[in-house]
């Protein structure tokens, strides 16, 4: 069979199996199996065992369960109340007022959590009822929350980045640090949008609240101290080269436990729940990675990725055209697939193409994270939409429409990162050598 | 039978969780040692040079064991992700048939995976393969844990297949339909 025919058959097989409700990890592995079968001489079962073993026993991947556990612990603390109370008094003067709590709160929580859905849920739990109670526009409150939650992926730590870095053999620490500036830029875009919207829609804003004296504002800010220390401890130690990503994640677990104990929210039940939740989530992701590793190894035997790279380079597309095509492809894919599957499919198939086109793999990691962020808020499959559906009872297509302006802002962010690669690559270049 | 199976899944999930706790404690201990050494150096005192040998390898093995031992418990909690868009659109009768196919097919795949992981572990055991680091950990331990986890997953899938057959729906339908937080990126 020709390479093109084979890739079409495999793709069809993958969608068929995925569509019939077989678990993603298994579907990926079955595709790998089918691909290996086309090469008669290759022992399919041995390749399966070796690639799953290699993908599963990894020091770098150990960061994954630790960061997930940290997030699970923090989800059960009063951190989100603290953040609302500490931030709200400062935002009364800015056009858009408390709507900015969504963006800034998510950006801050993103710096201690690696998940978009968890960020959205943690901040939304407090911010959404408060905003609606005060009469803010529902459309804006829900839409900005859906969009800002995705910052959880871009601002380190980030589960998607760990998945990408381990699958492409890049440094997790560098990828984390590369996400900081694009994350701040994206949060800035979101806030700019809120300001502009508020200036044009004064009628739809609730009446302003009485101003809070400076002294009280400063006093309220004390509630932001624990989260600030947590961020400094985790991201600071990675940036300063004091700790690898895994070590920083373990520091994060202990700091989160300490914070939880100090604020009086640490219970035995909560501890066990957080541990079990983390065990299951990390198992789910590790299993997908194991299945994807088998697919990647199998793809290597078929020669599809390199043939694809050859084929694409035959068009002599300039980089921007290639990126436009890829982005369009990801946006469509993102409507139907979750982020992790998107990343592992990418790494097993199109990385040779990306390297051949001359993209830096750290930079490409940031690009992938941005397009995966879009996937979080595009219906019918988008995890932030699910979270908000659970909270508000709205249909996911409605919530997707609320979040549409933020989707376009993410497209702008992709453009900015493509036009100015330094946004992603400058900060890691200043890092002290991370182990 | 029901009790025994559920206990098995729960025990494997706990073993997995304990592996993760062990990783946190080992890495935490090493970090504490490094902090202590840093403090001692500032005070011009002799360092302790406390090192956990082969820490990176050991953590990797613990992670591999943890990831596979939790497979069945994760399935039972409805936390393994799959595309449910098509399933949800089907009629109850059609969904029943597709669910049977999904569980049956997945069980066959898991059985195949178990066989090859077990064989892989057996080969490591037979040739006394050990890790490359200073401490020579026999590779059969983590690899056998993976095979055992895979076996328990196979059991859970077969178990669910018969549950769907008799009750018409998997035990975790509600959990899967509900929104599971932090399930994904």
């Amino acid at each position: 069979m020709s390479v093109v025919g084979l890739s079409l058959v495999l793709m069809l097989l993958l969608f068929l199996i995925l569509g019939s409700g077989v678990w993603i990890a298994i579907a990926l592995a079955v595709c790998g199996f089918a691909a290996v079968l086309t090469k008669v001489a290759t022992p399919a079962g041995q390749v399966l065992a070796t690639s799953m073993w290699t993908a599963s026993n990894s020091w770098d991947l150990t960061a994954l369960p630790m960061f997930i556990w940290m997030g699970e612990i923090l989800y059960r603390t009063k951190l989100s109340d603290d953040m609302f109370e500490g931030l709200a008094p400062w935002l009364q003067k800015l056009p858009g007022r408390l709507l900015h709590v969504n963006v800034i709160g998510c950006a801050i929580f993103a710096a201690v959590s690696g998940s978009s859905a968890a960020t959205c849920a943690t901040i939304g739990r407090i911010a959404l009822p408060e905003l609606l109670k005060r009469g803010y526009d529902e459309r804006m409150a829900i839409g900005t929350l859906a969009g800002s939650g995705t910052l959880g992926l871009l601002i380190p730590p980030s589960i998607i980045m760990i998945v990408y870095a381990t699958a492409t053999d890049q440094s997790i620490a560098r990828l984390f640090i590369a996400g900081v500036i694009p994350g701040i830029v994206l949060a800035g875009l979101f806030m700019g949008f809120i300001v502009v919207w508020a200036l044009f829609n004064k009628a739809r804003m609730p009446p302003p609240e009485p101003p809070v004296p400076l002294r009280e504002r400063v006093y309220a800010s004390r509630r932001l101290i624990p989260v600030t220390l947590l961020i400094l401890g985790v991201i600071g130690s990675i940036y300063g080269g004091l700790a690898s990503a895994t070590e920083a994640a373990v520091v994060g677990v202990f700091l989160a436990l300490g914070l939880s104990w100090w604020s009086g929210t640490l219970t035995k039940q909560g501890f066990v729940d957080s541990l079990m939740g983390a065990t299951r989530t990390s198992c789910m992701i590790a299993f997908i990675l194991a299945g994807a590793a088998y697919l990647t190894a199998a793809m290597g035997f078929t020669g599809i990725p390199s043939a694809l790279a050859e084929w694409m380079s035959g068009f002599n597309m300039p980089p921007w055209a290639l990126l436009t095509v890829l982005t369009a492809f990801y946006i469509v894919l993102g409507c139907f697939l979750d982020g992790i599957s998107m990343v592992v499919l990418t790494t097993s198939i199109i990385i040779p193409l990306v390297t051949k086109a001359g993209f830096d793999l750290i930079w490409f990691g940031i690009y992938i994270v941005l397009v995966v962020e879009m996937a979080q808020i595009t219906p019918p499959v988008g995890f932030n939409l699910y979270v908000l559906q659970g909270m508000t009872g709205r249909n996911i297509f409605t919530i997707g429409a609320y979040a549409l302006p933020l989707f376009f802002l993410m497209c702008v962010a992709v453009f900015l990162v493509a036009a100015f690669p330094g946004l992603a690559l400058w900060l890691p270049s200043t890092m002290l050598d991370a182990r | 039978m029901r009790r025994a199976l559920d206990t098995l899944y729960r025990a494997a999930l706990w073993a997995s969780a304990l592996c993760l706790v062990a990783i946190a404690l080992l890495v935490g201990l090493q970090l504490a040692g490094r902090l202590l050494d840093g403090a001692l150096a500032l005070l011009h005192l002799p360092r302790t040079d406390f090192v956990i040998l082969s820490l990176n390898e050991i953590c990797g093995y613990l992670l591999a064991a943890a990831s596979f031992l939790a497979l069945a418990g994760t399935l039972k909690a409805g936390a393994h992700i799959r595309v449910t868009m098509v399933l949800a659109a089907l009629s109850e009768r059609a969904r029943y048939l597709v669910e049977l196919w999904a569980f049956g097919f997945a069980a066959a795949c898991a059985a195949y995976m178990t066989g090859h992981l077990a064989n892989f572990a057996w080969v490591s055991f037979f040739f006394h393969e050990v890790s490359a680091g200073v401490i020579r950990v026999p590779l059969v331990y983590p690899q056998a844990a993976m095979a055992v986890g895979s076996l328990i997953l196979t059991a859970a899938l077969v178990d669910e297949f018969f549950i769907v057959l008799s009750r018409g729906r998997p035990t975790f339908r509600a959990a899967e339909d509900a929104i599971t937080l932090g399930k994904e990126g």
Side-chain angles (χ1 to χ4, degrees):
Chain A
M1 211 188 299
S2 74
V3 172
V4 178
L6 180 63
S7 15
L8 285 178
V9 169
L10 287 176
M11 208 144 71
L12 202 69
L13 182 73
L14 179 66
F15 287 127
L16 207 70
I17 299 178
L18 276 180
S20 69
V22 173
W23 291 264
I24 287 172
I26 296 178
L28 292 171
V30 168
C31 268
F33 180 74
V36 174
L37 282 192
T38 61
K39 300 284 147 187
V40 181
T42 322
Q46 266 175 42
V47 177
L48 177 132
T50 332
S51 50
M52 285 199 170
W53 161 246
T54 319
S56 305
N57 98 81
S58 150
W59 160 250
D60 288 335
L61 192 59
T62 314
L64 183 81
M66 295 301 132
F67 276 126
I68 296 176
W69 192 11
M70 177 183 169
E72 288 273 350
I73 297 167
L74 291 177
Y75 177 73
R76 293 174 169 77
T77 61
K78 285 189 218 142
L79 207 61
S80 46
D81 305 66
D82 285 346
M83 240 154 8
F84 189 86
E85 298 296 328
L87 287 173
W90 294 98
L91 298 167
Q92 297 289 359
K93 292 267 166 62
L94 202 60
R97 299 196 290 270
L98 293 191
L99 285 175
H100 292 284
V101 171
N102 274 348
V103 182
I104 302 181
C106 283
I108 295 178
F109 193 75
V112 289
S113 157
S115 150
S116 158
T119 304
C120 191
T122 312
I123 297 302
R125 203 168 42 160
I126 301 299
L128 205 53
E130 291 283 341
L131 286 175
L132 297 182
K133 193 173 77 193
R134 287 163 209 226
Y136 281 86
D137 187 63
E138 228 173 26
R139 205 185 168 84
M140 280 300 276
I142 297 175
T144 54
L145 184 61
S148 311
T150 66
L151 288 169
L153 301 183
L154 191 56
I155 297 180
S158 159
I159 288 164
I160 278 287
M161 285 187 188
I162 298 176
V163 169
Y164 175 85
T166 44
T168 55
D169 226 1
Q170 296 293 308
S171 152
I172 296 177
R174 278 181 190 283
L175 192 58
F176 272 9
I177 299 304
V180 172
I181 295 181
I184 295 171
V185 168
L186 188 57
L189 286 175
F190 290 166
M191 289 176 71
F193 165 68
I194 293 177
V195 168
V196 171
W197 182 89
L199 289 176
F200 280 93
N201 294 282
K202 286 216 171 77
R204 287 161 77 179
M205 290 292 289
E209 288 167 44
V212 183
L214 182 68
R215 218 162 51 104
E216 278 179 39
R217 271 186 274 168
V218 174
Y219 186 64
S221 305
R222 80 194 182 287
R223 301 183 68 168
L224 296 175
I225 296 172
V227 73
T228 313
L229 290 178
L230 208 56
I231 295 175
L232 288 178
V234 175
I235 302 186
S237 58
I238 295 180
Y239 180 74
L242 296 174
S244 66
T246 306
E247 290 164 344
V250 173
V251 170
V253 168
F254 284 113
L255 287 180
L257 280 174
L259 189 151
S260 176
W261 172 77
W262 180 72
S263 66
T265 45
L266 186 66
T267 58
K268 189 170 163 241
Q269 192 56 43
F271 177 81
V272 171
D273 287 349
S274 72
L275 177 60
M276 286 305 170
T279 307
R280 285 193 286 260
T281 306
S282 98
C283 162
M284 179 274 285
I285 298 177
F287 192 36
I288 294 181
L289 280 173
Y294 185 40
L295 179 65
T296 308
M299 280 294 150
F301 287 115
T302 62
I304 289 177
S306 52
L308 184 70
E310 281 299 326
W311 181 68
M312 283 297 268
S313 67
F315 291 106
N316 276 323
M317 271 199 271
W320 64 264
L322 181 63
L323 277 181
T324 313
V325 173
L326 278 177
T327 309
F329 171 71
Y330 277 124
I331 289 174
V332 175
L333 202 62
C335 290
F336 302 100
L337 268 185
D338 65 285
I340 294 171
S341 313
M342 276 169 70
V343 171
V344 295
L345 276 177
T346 303
T347 50
S348 56
I349 296 161
I350 72 163
I351 282 300
L353 181 138
V354 170
T355 345
K356 204 170 163 96
F359 294 122
D360 182 288
L361 281 183
I362 293 282
W363 178 87
F364 193 73
I366 298 302
Y367 163 80
I368 286 277
V369 170
L370 275 169
V371 290
V372 166
E373 281 191 65
M374 297 182 189
Q376 301 286 335
I377 55 168
T378 44
V381 177
F383 279 80
N384 285 21
L385 302 180
Y386 294 164
V387 169
L388 287 170
Q389 181 187 32
M391 276 184 198
T392 63
R394 296 283 147 82
N395 178 298
I396 51 171
F397 286 93
T398 315
I399 303 171
Y402 290 174
L404 196 62
L406 289 96
F407 173 84
F408 289 124
L409 289 174
M410 290 178 197
C411 295
V412 173
V414 168
F415 173 78
L416 287 176
V417 169
F420 309 103
L423 285 177
L425 295 178
W426 174 72
L427 201 56
S429 72
T430 65
M431 270 167 84
L432 298 171
D433 210 14
R435 264 157 308 134
Chain B
M1 187 66 182
R2 181 75 267 139
R3 279 253 307 272
L5 279 175
D6 285 341
T7 312
L8 178 68
Y9 308 143
R10 201 170 320 122
L13 190 65
W14 267 101
S16 166
L18 289 179
C19 287
L20 294 186
V21 172
I23 293 174
L25 288 179
L26 285 173
V27 176
L29 206 59
Q30 175 66 77
L31 281 171
R34 220 155 76 203
L35 282 178
L36 180 66
D37 269 358
L40 288 174
L42 280 180
L43 299 168
H44 301 288
L45 291 170
R47 300 160 61 91
T48 58
D49 285 324
F50 172 75
V51 171
I52 301 177
L53 292 170
S54 299
L55 178 66
N56 294 14
E57 283 83 10
I58 293 172
C59 286
Y61 299 153
L62 283 169
L63 177 68
S67 301
F68 275 73
L69 285 173
L71 283 174
T74 306
L75 177 82
K76 281 285 179 178
H80 277 305
I81 52 175
R82 56 176 178 160
V83 178
T84 46
M85 208 165 58
V86 184
L87 285 178
L90 293 174
S91 69
E92 202 57 30
R93 175 75 194 159
R95 180 166 183 165
Y96 166 76
L97 293 174
V98 177
E99 289 276 23
L100 281 184
W101 143 261
F103 280 105
F105 182 70
C109 295
Y112 178 82
M113 177 171 86
T114 307
H116 281 283
L117 287 175
N119 182 51
F120 191 60
W122 166 251
V123 170
S124 295
F125 172 73
F126 192 76
F127 291 105
H128 301 289
E129 284 189 46
V130 290
S131 61
V134 185
I135 295 185
R136 313 211 138 232
V137 185
L139 292 185
V140 62
Y141 296 142
Q143 288 171 358
M146 281 171 72
V148 169
S150 177
L151 181 67
I152 302 176
L153 173 70
T154 314
L157 285 165
V158 173
D159 177 15
E160 280 295 331
F161 177 85
F162 285 108
I163 290 175
V164 174
L165 200 61
S166 61
R167 284 188 229 155
R169 51 169 56 205
T171 44
F172 51 80
R173 168 86 79 92
E176 209 175 43
D177 286 351
I179 294 95
T180 316
L181 290 182
K183 210 175 177 184
E184 192 270 349

